[in-house]
Structures are given as structure tokens and as C-alpha cells.
Amino acid sequence: MARVAGVSQGTASNVFNRPDIVRQEVRERVEAAAKELGYAGPSLTGRLLRAGKVNAIGVATAEPLTYFFEDQWARAMMSAISAECDKHGAGLSIVSTVNRGRPAWNIQSALVDGLILLCAEEGPALIGQTEKRELPFVALGLEEGIADTPGVGIDNRGGAEGAALHLVELGHRRIAILGIGEIWNGKLATPEEIMATPYLTVRDRAEGYWAGLQTAGIEPADVPYADTDGERQTVWAAMEMLYAAAGAPTAILAMSDRVALFAIDWLQAKGRRVPEDVSVVGFDGVPEGGETMPGLTTVQQPYQEIAARAVTSILSGEEIKGWPVLPLPLVVRGSTGPAPGSEL
């Protein structure tokens, strides 16, 4: 184009990038040559790559893209990340590696300054693909720690212990746990089976519940534990099993708000009142828990603080050190109350 217009490459570039320093007659000549050649102007992508920054963050998971919209925890986290990106005037891209045929194509080609990884059980593989890209990243929800991996953690054990203590203080002694370990087999799980799960989140939350209950002399082996895969069918089946036996629980500790809400649906369908007959505590603090009747008592994840740390780290280029672990407060709402027959 520069040759056709009879100008230097620098002058042709200035016509598109710094037109104010180019004489009008030269601009018109270059623009006419560009039109003749069908040239629409310099590539924005190329310009951003040359500058070394695109002012955008990618959020990646090994789940299908629908996970970002269907999973309550993922929606809450994405909402917080989006709000932080808005504060910084940064863009946001969602990335899935669920395609096992080319599992890394989108991580390798996404036009972003860095990646936030929603890890879960696929964390190590997701981190491995991201490290090949050599971009800043922050891992969230990583099941097992990986040395020197930048990330933000949450105190699952402490949050669970606080939830159990809350029920103990309300006078409950017959308390059951609804798990999320995906080892549903139609039977109650033993403490040994629970601690053999590969999911660190499940183990930490179980240990926290047990620690809180032991303050009232309730041993882990005496706490019914029904596992689920987080879906309504297995949650309802778990509830049927827990309430078919004598001495049915007066309180439920659910390892996720999703499971807790399904449990409340079952209780209400069976004519059991919440919290007058059965108290229910969730985990995660998703917005839906505050919109139900009664509102769900839950262990609250600090979504906004997690998002702020992750987004700031990527955009500033300052790697998170030491894997900070954030405390999880208990948000008490209407789904918990005194144990039936107690004097509280």
C-alpha cells in the first residue's frame, strides 16, 4: 500500500494511527490506495499483541461452557470477577477445555493477559496447560496444593466447624451430613470412606463438621453421612435413607448450598417444617440461598475478595505469594432454629 501511494511505510502507518501529523493531501493519497487494495486498516489484534497487553482476563475450566451459567458457585464467582473487571475497565473471556480432542486449543489461543482457573478435580491438568502458555494465572478451587502455584484458598475446615457449632449451640444432637463426593452408592459412608475421597474440599469440610460436633461429645462414627453427586435425584434418595431410620436427624449439614436447597425441597414435600422440625445449613453462600423461604443459613465464601485478589494479580503482573487462605463466616438466616423440644 505504501508503495502504491508513493510514501514510506512509516507515513502509511501514521495515516491510520496518528493522522493528525500527516498532511491532508498525503492522507488522501494513502486512503485512496488503501481503498483500491481493499485494505481496511491495521489489525487491532496485531496492535494489541505488539503492545504486549490486551486488557482482558480469561476464566478457564475443564467443565463445559454451560457450567459458567448452570452451576450456582460458578455463576457467583463469575459475577464477582466480572464486577472486578468492570472496576479496572478490563474485558473478560470464558474458556473451556472440555474438548478432549484438542484440550488446550482455547487456553493456548485466547487473547488475554492472564487466566483465572476454576480448578476442581481437573486442577493439575488445567494448570499444566496454562503454564505452557507462559501467562500469569491464579488458581481457584484447587483440590490439592501444587508447589509454587499462585492461587487463593478458603478455610473449608474452619467454615464447616463454625456451621456445626451453630447447630450444637441450638441444642441439636441428631445431625447428619449431606456430602458432595460423588461416591453415591445407596449406603451411608463411614469416616474412613469419606477420608479416602480424592476431593480435598470434601475431606476438609467433613473434618470441620466433626470437630464442631465433637464439642458436644458427638463422634464422627455417630454422624450419619449420605453422599450425593449434587443433583436432585441423589439428594432426595439420600434424604429418604436418612429419614427412614429411627432417630431421624433434627438438623442437616450440607456441603453445598445446591444440596441444601434440594434437601429443603424434599423436607417440605414430606410435610416437615424448616426450621421447626429440621434445621438446614448450606455451604458457599450463593445468592439463591438468600432468596428462598426460609432463607438459607450458610457458610459464606468471600467471592468479591477472591475475585479482587485474582483480577488485580493478573492485571498488575504481581504474582500472589503464599497461597492465602480466606476465612469463611457463617450467615445465619431462617433455615436454622432450636432443636425440637429444646429450651432455647
Side-chain angles (χ1 to χ4, degrees):
M1 180 187 64
R3 181 178 57 80
V4 172
V7 299
S8 68
Q9 290 283 357
T11 298
S13 176
N14 286 335
V15 168
F16 292 98
N17 296 303
R18 302 175 62 193
D20 54 302
I21 68 171
V22 182
R23 296 198 315 273
Q24 181 177 349
E25 60 190 67
V26 176
R27 287 203 311 271
E28 291 174 351
R29 195 160 73 244
V30 171
E31 290 165 355
K35 184 176 181 180
E36 178 183 342
L37 297 171
Y39 176 66
S43 165
L44 175 60
T45 298
R47 187 190 312 164
L48 291 170
L49 290 175
R50 285 192 297 274
K53 282 282 188 179
V54 296
N55 200 33
I57 288 175
V59 181
T61 180
E63 301 289 337
L65 286 173
T66 53
Y67 171 73
F68 290 103
F69 306 99
E70 295 174 352
D71 185 86
Q72 294 166 325
W73 176 83
R75 286 204 306 267
M77 186 59 71
M78 284 298 295
S79 177
I81 292 171
S82 299
E84 287 302 316
C85 285
D86 279 341
K87 290 179 184 178
H88 291 270
L92 186 63
S93 175
I94 59 175
V95 177
S96 168
T97 65
V98 74
N99 184 337
R100 301 307 184 194
R102 298 185 63 196
W105 75 267
N106 36 26
I107 280 182
Q108 296 302 327
S109 61
L111 192 61
V112 294
D113 295 316
L115 291 154
I116 297 174
L117 308 181
L118 305 187
C119 292
E121 65 269 22
E122 296 289 340
L126 202 59
I127 289 169
Q129 294 296 345
T130 305
E131 287 177 332
K132 294 178 183 178
R133 179 72 189 273
E134 297 184 347
L135 280 177
F137 72 92
V138 176
L140 306 179
L142 186 61
E143 283 295 328
E144 295 288 1
I146 297 178
D148 301 323
T149 299
V152 180
I154 56 173
D155 186 7
N156 281 299
R157 193 183 189 283
E161 184 173 355
L165 286 171
H166 172 64
L167 292 179
V168 165
E169 291 166 356
L170 288 171
H172 294 276
R173 295 298 181 267
R174 301 199 310 273
I175 301 169
I177 299 172
L178 286 177
I180 52 172
E182 300 182 5
I183 55 173
W184 167 254
N185 57 11
K187 301 177 182 178
L188 295 178
T190 66
E192 292 74 22
E193 290 171 328
I194 298 161
M195 295 310 293
T197 179
Y199 303 122
L200 179 63
T201 295
V202 171
R203 300 198 303 269
D204 281 351
R205 292 182 186 180
E207 287 186 326
Y209 292 145
W210 292 332
L213 297 177
Q214 282 178 314
T215 64
I218 305 171
E219 295 301 318
D222 297 326
V223 182
Y225 183 106
D227 202 42
T228 79
D229 62 3
E231 298 299 330
R232 179 186 292 272
Q233 181 176 356
T234 59
V235 174
W236 279 43
M239 293 292 287
E240 291 281 359
M241 182 168 52
L242 289 171
Y243 284 86
T250 64
I252 297 290
L253 289 164
M255 284 194 179
S256 77
D257 286 350
R258 178 181 175 88
V259 168
L261 293 173
F262 285 148
I264 290 174
D265 287 345
W266 183 90
L267 289 165
Q268 293 176 338
K270 298 297 181 179
R272 296 178 185 262
R273 300 169 299 166
V274 178
E276 292 84 358
D277 299 324
V278 183
S279 289
V280 180
V281 182
F283 207 113
D284 290 335
V286 301
E288 290 84 352
E291 299 167 358
T292 61
M293 290 297 290
L296 180 64
T297 295
T298 184
V299 179
Q300 179 68 56
Q301 292 205 33
Y303 295 104
Q304 213 58 55
E305 184 175 357
I306 293 170
R309 290 184 182 227
V311 170
T312 300
S313 171
I314 290 173
L315 294 179
S316 69
E318 296 180 5
E319 185 177 296
I320 294 175
K321 301 290 186 181
W323 197 274
V325 175
L326 306 181
L328 303 183
L330 184 70
V331 177
V332 178
R333 299 193 181 105
S335 70
T336 52
S342 72
E343 297 180 358
L344 297 177

